[in-house]
Amino acid sequence: MGNILLWLIVVPLVGALLILTIPREYTNVIRSLAGLTAAVALVLSLVLWGMFDRGAAGMQFYEQLEWFTLGFMQVNFEIGADGLSVPLIALTTIVTLFSIVASFTIEHRVKEFYVWTLVLLTGMLGVFVALDMFLFFLFFELTLIPMFFLIGIWGGKMREYASFKFLIYTGLGSGIMFITFIVIYVQAALVSFPDPMSFSIVELTEAYTEGAAAGAVGGAMKGGMFLALFTAFAIKLPVFPFHTWLPNAHVEAPTAASMILAGVLLKMGGYGLIRVGFGIMPDQAARFATLIAVLGVINIIYGALLALVQTDLKALVAYSSISHMGIVLLGIASITEAGMQGAIFQLVSHGFISALLFFMVGAIYSRTKTRTISEMGGLSHSVPVLAGFMLAAAMASLGLPGMSGFVSELMAFIGIFGAPAEILPQAVTLGVIAVVGIIFTAAYLLWAMQRTTFGPPKEKYAGLVDAKPMEYVPMVGLLAFTILIGVYPFILSDVINTTVIDLVSKIGG
């Protein structure tokens, strides 16, 4: 079968190329092929999940092929997976499959829509398996163009503005990231000269943690590189004040694109920060833990307050994503096993929950033709199934026990309250302030549900059609994964535990 990671990257690309050969009038064939391609990728990710050795902390399914030399820089096609990347690979394939099913109602330029979606899937999977910084950058960039077109062609009235804002912001982050990658490499290469070095994340991690670069590269230089990396990935996550592109992108994006954007693309920022920033420079992660935690608290409260005043239901869900990504920052800043596990849990959990929320908003909008909260009300009478799933998604988002949001938030807060004082002296204070943000989260979600789904039935919604058979696929699937992780968190912690222990030991040490 060869390297399963290579197949994961290739399958969506092959599917996209096959769709290009099909005449555009065969829309049902195109939809079926796109769904089949995503389903094959999902099966491969589940096989990967089953084959993964839970007791090994290092990279598995590793493969390195010489690619090209650029001056004194050696670039390789290097891929691998560990307990951090395997759950995100599974999340990517699951959310993408459900988003493709959710987009079966699209009638405009169907062929191009699914080609871009599958190219996007290739880029996202590539980010989570790439172990060469140049390769990581290429896959990271590959995700920008498909999402730009998905928003710009199939989005709402302000789609062009939203798509260009998305491209400019995230493109700027990518530029900062690539420049920092070059600096990281050059600093390590100067120390190791004349021994050759590559762009390998594994090799550079060893150089900066155990090798010559650990002591030879100055603290000011390493601090600058870490802050530059943090800025690059903070734009993607996104972190205040780099968040302003996200609400516009979400509000204007079609439902399927919003599902992928919130479910997977934001997670690339958290993944990159942990994999590259914390991995290569763990000492700087500890040094700037307080800054990261403070920004996490700001994200939680600021995002929640903005969500609280939204009149557009989709904008409310978009701002809730900003708030929930603060939990990720809070967890990783704690430099504890519980906190880091909570951060990774949150990346995966929020992926499922946000995808479900955006699907529900899209399903309701397709019937009511409005997203204005004040114009809704009484939907539980006219579309009880859709209203019920919307309520379930909201409960998961606010951290109801028995759902994945509760587990991730609980672990992140256990981590922050147990953070070592020498690394995070104000941990308890920051944790207490963050709890206030969780209260705001419950407030805006319960308020939104009360205004949209409850209350007396409205006559104009009396004839609405409730959930259609195909809509049950993403609704039931995403909710099932949310409940599975909430009821049986060991299914996820078993995979990430060894990697987390190894990472935290390097930072704490």
Side-chain angles (χ1 to χ4, degrees):
M1 183 176 181
N3 193 305
I4 190 171
L5 300 182
L6 189 58
W7 280 101
L8 269 167
I9 298 171
V10 169
V11 163
L13 198 57
V14 171
L17 293 174
L18 288 175
I19 289 176
L20 285 174
T21 66
I22 301 174
R24 64 181 63 251
E25 59 266 23
Y26 293 101
T27 55
N28 287 335
V29 176
I30 292 171
R31 291 189 183 100
S32 299
L33 181 55
L36 178 62
T37 302
V40 172
L42 171 57
V43 170
L44 288 173
S45 71
L46 295 179
V47 171
L48 176 70
W49 187 283
M51 294 172 60
F52 183 74
D53 182 1
R54 273 71 169 159
M59 290 295 168
Q60 301 178 41
F61 313 101
Y62 180 82
E63 186 164 326
Q64 184 185 62
L65 303 172
E66 288 190 8
W67 196 3
F68 65 89
T69 301
L70 185 62
F72 60 90
M73 303 178 184
Q74 176 61 45
V75 178
N76 298 320
F77 188 89
E78 186 178 2
I79 56 177
D82 63 357
L84 173 60
S85 50
V86 167
L88 294 172
I89 291 170
L91 170 71
T92 301
T93 56
I94 293 168
V95 170
T96 302
L97 175 59
F98 289 143
S99 71
I100 287 176
V101 174
S103 65
F104 280 174
T105 56
I106 286 180
E107 299 291 343
H108 174 59
R109 299 179 68 173
V110 175
K111 182 175 180 177
E112 290 90 337
F113 181 88
Y114 290 113
V115 167
W116 285 124
T117 301
L118 292 177
V119 171
L120 178 60
L121 177 57
T122 296
M124 293 185 298
L125 291 172
V127 167
F128 295 133
V129 303
L131 293 180
D132 180 277
M133 289 201 300
F134 187 82
L135 185 66
F136 180 94
F137 169 76
L138 286 183
F139 280 124
F140 206 90
E141 287 295 284
L142 183 59
T143 65
L144 303 187
I145 303 304
M147 185 55 69
F148 169 78
F149 284 113
L150 289 174
I151 298 172
I153 297 175
W154 293 273
K157 294 180 180 179
M158 298 289 291
R159 58 183 178 272
E160 292 184 2
Y161 170 78
S163 61
F164 275 101
K165 191 172 184 179
F166 162 80
L167 189 64
I168 291 170
Y169 267 76
T170 53
L172 176 63
S174 297
I176 296 172
M177 177 182 68
F178 185 66
I179 293 172
T180 310
F181 282 177
I182 297 294
V183 175
I184 289 173
Y185 172 82
V186 169
Q187 290 295 315
L190 290 175
V191 172
S192 65
F193 185 83
D195 296 330
M197 286 195 69
S198 72
F199 264 88
S200 170
I201 294 175
V202 176
E203 187 176 342
L204 288 168
T205 298
E206 183 178 348
Y208 276 91
T209 56
E210 302 173 6
V217 179
M221 174 61 73
K222 286 199 288 187
M225 292 188 297
F226 182 86
L227 289 176
L229 281 178
F230 178 79
T231 301
F233 294 123
I235 293 173
K236 195 73 170 183
L237 196 55
V239 177
F240 173 88
F242 309 113
H243 65 285
T244 58
W245 64 269
L246 181 65
N248 298 107
H250 269 315
V251 169
E252 300 302 328
T255 297
S258 285
M259 292 170 67
I260 295 175
L261 179 58
V264 183
L265 283 189
L266 303 189
K267 282 58 186 178
M268 288 165 44
Y271 171 81
L273 180 59
I274 298 172
R275 168 71 71 215
V276 184
F278 278 57
I280 293 181
M281 287 173 282
D283 56 332
Q284 301 306 307
R287 176 183 174 185
F288 293 105
T290 298
L291 172 64
I292 297 171
V294 168
L295 289 173
V297 171
I298 292 174
N299 253 48
I300 292 171
I301 296 179
Y302 179 72
L305 288 175
L306 287 179
L308 195 59
V309 299
Q310 296 306 308
T311 58
D312 185 303
L313 185 58
K314 198 173 187 182
L316 182 148
V317 177
Y319 279 108
S320 77
S321 292
I322 296 173
S323 181
H324 281 88
M325 289 303 96
I327 299 290
V328 175
L329 292 179
L330 207 62
I332 62 176
S334 71
I335 318 293
T336 62
E337 293 174 16
M340 192 67 72
Q341 282 198 341
I344 300 172
F345 260 81
Q346 180 72 345
L347 290 174
V348 176
S349 167
H350 183 264
F352 292 130
I353 296 171
S354 61
L356 178 58
L357 279 169
F358 278 112
F359 176 78
M360 298 314 306
V361 172
I364 291 173
Y365 174 77
S366 68
R367 290 158 171 82
T368 62
K369 304 305 177 185
T370 183
R371 292 195 303 259
T372 303
I373 296 174
S374 61
E375 295 180 5
M376 298 183 187
L379 292 177
S380 60
H381 298 277
S382 53
V383 283
V385 174
L386 291 177
F389 274 96
M390 183 71 185
L391 179 61
M395 293 301 102
S397 185
L398 65 80
L400 184 72
M403 293 185 164
S404 59
F406 172 77
V407 179
S408 57
E409 291 178 12
L410 176 63
M411 294 175 69
F413 277 103
I414 290 174
I416 198 68
F417 283 115
E422 63 273 15
I423 293 178
L424 201 58
Q426 304 300 324
V428 174
T429 302
L430 292 170
V432 170
I433 297 173
V435 170
V436 177
I438 302 301
I439 297 173
F440 289 146
T441 299
Y444 69 72
L445 285 169
L446 292 175
W447 173 78
M449 292 305 100
Q450 187 272 329
R451 295 286 299 277
T452 57
T453 62
F454 294 104
K458 291 191 175 183
E459 185 177 346
K460 63 180 178 179
Y461 297 143
L464 296 182
V465 177
D466 207 350
K468 300 174 183 178
M470 190 60 71
E471 290 176 322
Y472 279 94
V473 177
M475 289 193 307
V476 173
L478 291 169
L479 183 59
F481 281 109
T482 300
I483 295 174
L484 175 63
I485 297 174
V487 174
Y488 188 59
F490 180 76
I491 194 172
L492 181 54
S493 64
D494 183 43
V495 174
I496 69 176
N497 188 52
T498 304
T499 299
V500 166
I501 293 173
D502 181 65
L503 178 61
V504 171
S505 67
K506 291 177 180 178
I507 300 174

